[in-house]
Amino acid sequence: MTVALYMYTKQPKMIDIIKNQSNYLLVDVNLNEANMGNAAIFKSEIISMLDLHHKKIILSLHQVNYIDSTFLGALVAALKHAISLKADIALVGLKKDIHDLLTLIRLDKVFKIYDSFNDATKED
Amino acid sequence: MPADALEEMLAVIKTHVHEDAGMHELLFKSKFILTELLTNAIKHANTSQVSLNLEITDALVKFVKTDYGNPFMLPQIKDEQFKDALIITADVMHTLYAKQKEELTYFYCHENEAPSINLDNDLPEHFGLLIITKAADEFFYHFDEQNRANTFTATINL
């Protein structure tokens, strides 16, 4: 008797929907390094998510410790797409130096940034 | 830049700079200058051969990145107000300039005073040079024609 044993390993997705509410999605970014190596895939995945759900995305970056300009460009491109759909992208869980970087280049005036998920959903 | 290599360089800075020198801000600026210098080399110079030198004195921390890829192409749009400045990018939030001084090209930027950021405006999607220009106290580029070497130098004053 031959027994075939298949093992499936689940690859973690780059972005995961943690909560799907009527007016927003809470989405986790499963990256330690958000950089030019994964920016294009991230942009394409988040844009597909916006096209499918047509609602505000609260993006949790609490796992991200390193970020570069290419990934920031992808975030802005995704925000523009969200605005064109009358949706939005808000950011939560930013590490202090990533928050400071956004402030340095004034992206804190472009994205709504919240300290916590609860703060991000207060007005919804 | 791989995270472990970045952390190694930040550890060198931490070891060699006096604690009183505003360490938190220095490490924050250094982290993103290093990240962007190497991202720029990979994205634009189209080369895998990059060297990065770190110089630390009592007065400054200097990052010198050299690659042998494509030279940096300067834009040819002159600023109407500052005739000797070339505009690299201009958007609702910043204007990024380049200014030639002998063989060096210095980068600097101006924050535009838009009353509010209108998200319908064209927002920029390229931030590499802007990050280094704003994080560094001085940032310039040099092209050595003989050796076909691009050198970007960013300095943080202590």
Side-chain angles (χ1 to χ4, degrees), chain A residues 9 14 28 40 43 53 59 63 66 74 87 90 93 98 106 110 121:
Chain A
T9 50
M14 191 178 291
D28 244 359
K43 181 175 151 184
H53 296 276
L59 206 55
Q63 295 181 63
Y66 302 91
I98 293 177
R106 305 178 87 193
V110 172
T121 52

Side-chain angles (χ1 to χ4, degrees), chain A residues 12-121:
Chain A
K13 284 194 274 178
M14 191 178 291
I15 53 174
D16 262 333
I17 297 177
I18 303 300
K19 208 169 190 179
N20 186 352
Q21 297 292 92
S22 60
N23 50 351
Y24 68 82
L25 296 173
L26 174 63
V27 174
D28 244 359
V29 178
N30 300 315
L31 292 169
N32 174 46
E33 298 177 48
N35 58 28
M36 61 184 295
N38 44 41
I41 298 170
F42 166 79
K43 181 175 151 184
S44 139
E45 287 190 9
I46 205 93
I47 283 176
S48 301
M49 201 176 267
L50 283 162
D51 286 340
L52 188 64
H53 296 276
H54 274 252
K55 56 183 136 181
K56 174 178 170 177
I57 291 180
I58 300 169
L59 206 55
S60 175
L61 297 176
H62 70 278
Q63 295 181 63
V64 177
N65 288 302
Y66 302 91
I67 200 162
D68 73 7
S69 57
T70 314
F71 200 90
L72 291 176
L75 270 177
V76 172
L79 176 66
K80 286 181 186 175
H81 190 76
I83 291 163
S84 75
L85 299 173
K86 302 205 182 318
D88 198 3
I89 294 178
L91 307 178
V92 296
L94 270 65
K95 295 283 158 59
K96 187 182 178 328
D97 59 357
I98 293 177
H99 193 293
D100 289 348
L101 177 67
L102 291 173
T103 305
L104 179 76
I105 57 169
R106 305 178 87 193
L107 284 182
D108 60 328
K109 297 182 186 307
V110 172
F111 287 97
K112 293 184 185 80
I113 300 172
Y114 299 95
D115 289 337
S116 68
F117 166 65
N118 283 344
D119 290 343
T121 52

